[in-house]
């Protein structure tokens, strides 16, 4: 047992006392700071253009030109009126003008206007022109019919929904659906990336010890299971340390920095949600770490390891593919199934917890199932590890490797 | 003391070790010899408990080998592998710790061994900075840093320069003096001949011959001629009187065919080259090896599974 702790300590040191690890641990909070504050900032602030756009305008009606120019100037789009269409076009080609808008003579009847650019259109500019142009022409048409454009606009405005969350104490908070979606996506991405990153690092380190024959020296001192446990828990401690720092940093921003500086913190970023993120990450880590270690032991080289990992990665990819379905319908039977199926549970249950309020018993059941599966996987993985670590010179396929379980 | 009794091991369709028995005694250097793929590494791995034998038993000081006996064994595998990113001293302490030794206990011995092998100044450098020969010596230190009773050395000299080779040789002989059991596995017979008290020669998992070097050589009689000469000695390798020949530009070792007299050979040689030395002796281990198994360099390819 003492030797397992020795391996855990060394593996932890080798993982954590390393520049990449420290850099990522330091940069992580900035990343988290960005994702916690940015959505709010982005939602409140319109995307203002940074520079002025010089756009050519070819039109007969001078008053129409003046109205259009004035309205577009607010959006930093400057219209340059010209009488010669061909010279305007050549200015676009030479790059003096960003684009050229051509208004036909009978513009009130036209359905389609032409906008010339050198290469594609700047989306901001085209949308601004389209919006302003449409608004002016529709108002003119309504006025010609003797209708009040302002009155028509208020009559045809559709009501929209505002989402509020209430907790047990009756506190209400406004919750933007898009915001929740973004946060769920970020959380899931974080688990997905870190599990793969750490998993790869375990798999590769086992493989490296196997190919460099270090493992033979280790095996002359300790049992194969001790090596596997030592590796998984050593790297696991590093993962807990790193994500622990990140999560406490995030909670610090949400609870202390946010309120003090009056930042708009999305309502879904609660301490309990961060703790769910932390716990599901740790569970996902141990679930997949054992598999990565076993496959690292069974692989012949790095390419072979990646081939073997594909079927395993599918379990991590499925929730990513289903994510929008899960967010819009978190209580569907398929969502419930995947939130209890151990290999997808850490990701899917996390989404459900974020966007819905699954029964507490279900969450508990999910934890129980994942922990039980980790136990079984570690047991099976250590069997594969024990055999694989000494098998060299042949690339085994997944089926052959699974057959080692019965040897 | 290590004792193997009728130990066998097979993988899929390959019989790697077949009914092998031997004893390596305290305070002796025991040579486990054979061509590549003979089953040497498999045998060592079974003694170390990395593989379980299919049948037979392995005794360690008269008792069956258990997990904690691993602490009293040192193992230098043929292919070296230390943690490249660790510092030399940390790597050595880690390996000793895995053998159940406390860091403080091992440090003085590590320092002593580093000093003996001229590596003390490299103590705080990273393993990846070492040259091949240096990392080989560090690996050797890691094998004996925890002061084991039984030491397995798989091709310990491969890739070492003559000075380092001699330093290692002195350390191995010192281990023998301290009463340790050293099991040396090699296919380089000259080294085995210089170091080993007793040997076991195996091929395809089976024993070919075993015993002390004197006993074995006595069995073959004094039928080997060592000759040093000046002149063109190309013809020596095709002499009809020779059973086998190791021939070099100015030196040759010739095993006589049965019924051939050494004087007859001497007179043939005298006609064509100028003889500097002519000696009738027992065969070297190398020629015994070739006689029993064939040229070790021609063998191999078969992985040491």
């Amino acid at each position: 047992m003492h030797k397992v702790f020795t391996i855990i300590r060394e593996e932890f040191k080798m993982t954590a006392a390393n520049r990449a690890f420290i850099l990522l641990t330091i940069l992580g909070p900035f990343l988290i700071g960005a994702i916690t504050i940015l959505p709010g900032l982005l939602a409140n602030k319109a995307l203002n253009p940074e520079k002025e756009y010089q756009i050519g305008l070819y039109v007969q009606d001078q008053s129409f030109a003046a109205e259009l120019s004035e309205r577009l100037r607010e959006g930093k789009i400057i219209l340059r009126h010209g009488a010669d269409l061909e010279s305007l076009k050549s200015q676009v080609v030479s790059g003096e003008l960003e684009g050229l808008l051509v208004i036909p003579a009978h513009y009130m009847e036209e359905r389609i206007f032409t906008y010339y650019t050198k290469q594609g259109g700047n989306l901001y500019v085209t949308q601004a022109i389209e919006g302003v142009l449409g608004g002016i022409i529709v108002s003119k048409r309504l006025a010609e019919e003797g209708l009040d454009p302002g009155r028509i606009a208020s009559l045809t405005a559709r009501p929209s929904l505002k989402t509020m969350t209430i907790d047990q104490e009756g506190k209400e908070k406004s919750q933007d659906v898009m915001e929740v979606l973004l946060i769920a996506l970020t959380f899931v991405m974080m688990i997905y990336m870190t599990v793969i990153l750490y998993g790869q690092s375990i798999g590769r380190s086992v493989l490296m010890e196997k190919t460099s024959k270090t493992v033979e020296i280790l095996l002359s001192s300790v049992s194969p299971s001790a090596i596997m446990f030592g590796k998984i828990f050593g790297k696991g401690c590093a993962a807990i340390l790193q994500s622990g720092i990140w999560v406490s940093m995030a909670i610090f921003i949400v609870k202390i920095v946010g309120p003090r500086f009056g930042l708009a913190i999305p309502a879904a970023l609660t301490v309990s949600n961060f703790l769910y993120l932390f716990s599901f990450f740790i569970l996902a880590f141990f679930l997949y770490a054992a598999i990565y270690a076993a496959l690292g032991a069974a692989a012949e080289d790095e390419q072979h390891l990646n081939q073997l990992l594909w079927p395993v990665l599918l379990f991590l990819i499925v929730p990513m593919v289903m994510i929008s379905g899960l967010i819009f319908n978190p209580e569907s039977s398929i969502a419930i199934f995947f939130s209890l199926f151990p290999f997808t549970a850490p990701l899917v249950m996390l989404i459900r917890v974020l966007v819905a309020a699954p029964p507490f018993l279900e969450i508990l059941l999910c934890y129980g199932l994942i922990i039980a599966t980790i136990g079984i996987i570690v047991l099976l993985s250590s069997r594969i590890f024990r055999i694989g670590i000494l098998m060299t010179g042949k690339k085994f396929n997944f089926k052959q490797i699974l057959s080692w379980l019965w040897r | 003391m290590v004792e193997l009794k009728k130990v066998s091991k097979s993988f899929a369709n390959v019989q790697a070790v077949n009914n092998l028995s031997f004893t390596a005694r305290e305070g002796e250097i025991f040579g486990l010899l054979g061509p590549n793929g003979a089953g040497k590494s498999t045998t060592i791995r079974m003694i170390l408990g990395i593989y379980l034998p299919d049948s037979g038993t392995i005794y360690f000081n008269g008792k069956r080998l258990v997990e904690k006996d691993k602490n009293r064994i040192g193992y230098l595998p043929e292919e070296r592998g230390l943690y490249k990113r660790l510092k030399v001293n940390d790597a050595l302490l880690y390996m000793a710790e895995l053998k159940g030794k406390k860091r403080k206990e091992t440090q003085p011995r590590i320092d002593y061994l580093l000093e003996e092998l001229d590596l003390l100044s490299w103590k705080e450098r990273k393993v990846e900075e070492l040259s091949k020969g240096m990392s080989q010596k560090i690996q050797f230190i890691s094998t004996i840093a925890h002061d084991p009773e039984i030491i397995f050395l798989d091709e310990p000299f491969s890739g070492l320069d003559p000075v380092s080779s001699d330093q290692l040789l002195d350390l191995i002989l010192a281990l023998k003096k301290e009463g340790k059991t050293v099991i040396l596995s090699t296919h380089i017979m000259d080294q085995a001949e210089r170091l080993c008290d007793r040997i076991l020669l195996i091929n395809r998992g089976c024993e070919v011959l075993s015993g002390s070097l004197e006993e074995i050589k006595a069995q073959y009689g004094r039928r080997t001629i060592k000759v040093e000469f000046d002149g063109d000695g190309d013809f020596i390798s095709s002499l009809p009187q020779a059973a086998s020949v190791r021939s070099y530009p100015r030196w040759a070792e010739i095993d006589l065919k049965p019924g051939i007299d050494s004087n007859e050979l001497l007179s043939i040689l005298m006609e064509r080259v100028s003889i500097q030395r002519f000696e009738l002796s027992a065969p070297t281990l190398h020629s015994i090896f070739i006689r029993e198994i064939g040229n070790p360099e021609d063998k191999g390819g078969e992985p040491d599974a």
Side-chain angles (χ1 to χ4, degrees), chain A residues 2-3 6-7 9-11 13-14 18 209 212-214 216-223 390, chain B residues 45 48 50-51 67 70-71 75 77 79-81 83 85-86 94-95 97-100 103 139:
Chain A
H2 175 76
K3 291 181 181 177
T6 306
I7 301 180
R9 190 199 65 215
E10 281 306 310
E11 283 295 331
K13 265 167 45 185
M14 277 190 252
N18 140 349
E209 278 177 23
S212 72
K213 302 285 174 182
T214 309
E216 244 183 75
I217 305 166
L218 293 178
L219 284 174
S220 74
S221 310
V222 292
S223 66
L390 291 168
Chain B
R45 283 175 184 166
L48 295 172
I50 299 175
Y51 292 152
E67 188 68 28
K70 284 184 173 179
N71 289 352
Y75 174 42
E79 285 171 84
R80 327 282 190 242
Y83 288 97
R85 275 156 59 191
L86 290 184
Y94 178 35
M95 288 302 161
E97 232 180 328
L98 289 182
K99 290 287 188 185
R103 295 188 147 222
Q139 187 92 57

Side-chain angles (χ1 to χ4, degrees), chain A residues 28 46-48 68 75 89 97 115 132 134 187-188 212 224 241 249 268 286 330 339 346 369 378 402:
Chain A
L47 277 169
N48 283 326
L68 199 59
K89 277 185 185 172
L97 291 173
Y115 177 70
V132 170
F187 275 23
V188 168
S212 72
L241 175 73
M249 202 66 196
F286 282 108
S339 70
L369 285 172
V378 166
L402 286 179

Side-chain angles (χ1 to χ4, degrees), chain B residues 69-290:
Chain B
D69 290 331
K70 284 184 173 179
N71 289 352
R72 294 148 78 186
I73 294 177
Y75 174 42
L76 177 77
E78 185 177 356
E79 285 171 84
R80 327 282 190 242
L82 278 175
Y83 288 97
K84 290 199 170 71
R85 275 156 59 191
L86 290 184
K87 286 181 183 164
V88 168
N89 195 47
D90 290 337
L92 291 172
L93 284 172
Y94 178 35
M95 288 302 161
E97 232 180 328
L98 289 182
K99 290 287 188 185
K101 286 274 176 182
K102 294 217 166 68
R103 295 188 147 222
K104 270 188 198 160
E105 280 180 287
T106 348
Q107 190 64 65
R109 188 169 158 86
I110 287 177
D111 289 343
Y112 161 75
L113 290 168
L114 283 170
E115 176 95 65
E116 283 294 297
L117 290 172
D118 297 332
L119 285 169
L120 200 55
S121 56
W122 290 81
K123 189 175 157 185
E124 295 301 323
R125 303 282 279 272
K126 284 196 172 171
V127 172
E128 61 193 354
E129 295 172 43
L130 302 175
S131 72
K132 194 171 169 243
M134 283 178 188
S135 53
Q136 214 128 287
K137 291 199 272 183
I138 294 295
Q139 187 92 57
F140 181 79
I141 294 177
S142 124
T143 307
I144 59 169
H146 60 289
D147 199 15
E149 290 165 41
I150 299 184
I151 298 138
F152 292 88
L153 304 174
D154 203 346
E155 303 290 356
F157 300 101
S158 71
L160 287 184
D161 61 63
V163 178
S164 304
S165 258
D166 282 351
Q167 287 174 328
L168 212 65
L169 203 87
D170 288 345
L171 279 175
I172 296 173
L173 290 172
L175 290 171
K176 172 184 151 80
K177 267 190 201 144
E178 287 169 30
K180 318 277 189 200
T181 310
V182 179
I183 295 175
L184 176 74
S185 161
T186 182
H187 65 273
I188 300 168
M189 295 302 128
D190 294 343
Q191 274 162 3
E193 184 155 10
R194 274 193 285 168
L195 274 169
C196 298
D197 299 296
R198 294 188 310 124
I199 62 152
L200 171 75
L201 181 61
I202 58 174
N203 192 23
R204 295 174 198 279
C206 300
E207 175 178 326
V208 178
L209 50 90
S210 68
S212 73
L213 271 179
E214 298 86 66
E215 282 167 16
I216 290 171
K217 287 192 171 186
Q219 286 169 26
Y220 287 84
R222 298 172 78 81
R223 301 277 302 155
T224 298
I225 286 156
K226 288 175 183 163
V227 58
E228 250 181 77
F229 55 86
D230 284 333
D232 182 6
D234 284 352
F235 69 99
I236 296 175
S237 16
S238 50
L239 282 175
Q241 290 82 357
S244 70
V245 176
R246 281 170 82 193
S247 166
Y248 299 92
R250 296 186 59 247
W251 180 87
E253 193 180 303
I254 304 160
D255 291 328
L256 290 177
K257 270 189 183 158
I260 304 287
D261 186 57
S262 56
N263 285 339
E264 186 185 335
L265 186 74
L266 179 62
S267 53
I268 295 170
L269 291 173
M270 279 169 69
E271 281 171 23
R272 313 205 30 190
V273 290
S274 144
I275 305 288
Q276 306 293 326
R277 186 166 77 106
F278 187 88
E279 182 190 339
L280 191 60
S281 67
T284 59
L285 201 52
H286 188 100
S287 38
I288 294 175
F289 186 103
I290 291 175

